[in-house]
């Protein structure tokens, strides 16, 4: 039986020792991070990235963890590095869009949402976030159009309906 939080096979050896010096250790730490939570998960991601700095998926997951802790700069760093390694990582673009919004960098947010959509990401949230960024950037017509697209993709999205209503109100409709 393997206890991932202790990284041990009882009475035998550390699992990390099995991979010591071998290819794949970063994947081991990545899987440990996915199985864990909190500081242990973060430490495992740090180890995976330390072994392979260009590990795009580990960077993306660590960015998600940092976002949950409201570390906008760290989140932005990880998503940006994931995109440097894998420029067509549409979900990283969509997530980074949200970070740009929190940093009031609306043009960057719109650019990332545009790129994610161009790559085929067809989610309600990316259209809703782009609409939100457009509204805050002063493009009320674009905001209404994007929130409407978000509603088409998810008619139950209370957030998209509310954001579209705000954009309509601000537009004077």
């Amino acid at each position: 039986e393997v206890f991932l939080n202790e990284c041990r096979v009882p009475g035998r050896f550390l699992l990390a020792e099995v991979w010591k010096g071998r290819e794949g250790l970063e994947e081991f730490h990545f899987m440990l991070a996915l199985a864990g939570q909190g500081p242990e998960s973060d430490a495992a991601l740090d180890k995976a990235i330390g072994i392979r700095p260009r590990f795009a998926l580990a960077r993306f997951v660590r960015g998600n963890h940092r976002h949950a802790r409201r570390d906008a700069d760290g989140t932005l760093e990880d998503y940006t590095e994931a995109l440097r390694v894998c420029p067509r990582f549409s979900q990283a673009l969509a997530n980074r869009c949200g970070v740009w919004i929190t940093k009031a960098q609306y043009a960057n947010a719109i650019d990332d949402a545009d790129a994610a959509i161009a790559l085929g990401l067809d989610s309600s949230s990316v259209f809703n976030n782009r609409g939100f960024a457009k509204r805050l950037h002063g493009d009320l017509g674009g905001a209404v159009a994007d929130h409407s697209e978000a509603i088409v993709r998810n008619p139950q999205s209370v957030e998209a309906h509310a954001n579209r209503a705000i954009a309509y109100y601000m537009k004077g409709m």
Side-chain angles (χ1 to χ4, degrees):
E1 184 175 1
V2 176
F3 297 96
L4 291 176
N5 61 338
E6 294 181 15
C7 190
R8 292 186 183 276
V9 175
R12 305 220 49 203
F13 48 84
L14 287 174
L15 283 175
E17 290 298 313
V18 172
W19 277 282
K20 192 172 188 175
R22 294 186 186 171
E23 188 174 321
L25 183 58
E26 69 275 20
E27 281 92 355
F28 166 76
H29 287 293
F30 178 69
M31 294 304 294
L32 220 69
L34 295 180
Q37 55 185 324
E40 298 83 17
S41 181
D42 292 338
L45 285 168
D46 291 343
K47 282 186 179 183
I49 293 165
I51 294 165
R52 184 172 16 134
R54 295 178 48 86
F55 193 167
L57 192 54
R59 290 277 186 170
F60 176 76
V61 171
R62 189 172 72 175
N64 290 344
H65 287 206
R66 287 176 163 182
H67 181 70
R69 291 192 309 267
R70 301 192 190 294
D71 173 6
D73 292 333
T75 303
L76 192 59
E77 174 189 321
D78 277 331
Y79 290 158
T80 299
E81 185 57 32
L83 287 160
R84 215 174 272 127
V85 174
C86 186
R88 298 180 55 81
F89 195 162
S90 61
Q91 192 60 55
L93 284 162
N95 287 15
R96 192 172 69 173
C97 165
V99 179
W100 287 126
I101 290 169
T102 65
K103 294 179 73 64
Q105 298 290 318
Y106 307 120
N108 290 337
I110 293 164
D111 289 345
D112 277 357
D114 286 346
I117 292 165
L119 288 169
L121 188 61
D122 191 32
S123 73
S124 175
S125 64
V126 73
F127 281 95
N128 191 54
N129 283 343
R130 186 173 71 175
F132 188 77
K134 283 180 177 180
R135 178 169 55 87
L136 295 173
H137 198 55
D139 178 4
L140 297 177
V144 168
D146 277 345
H147 294 309
S148 296
E149 285 296 320
I151 292 166
V152 166
R153 284 157 179 77
N154 180 5
Q156 305 304 314
S157 174
V158 173
E159 185 178 13
H161 282 281
N163 282 329
R164 184 174 67 175
I166 292 167
Y168 270 135
Y169 177 77
M170 290 178 70
K171 195 173 175 187
M173 296 177 89

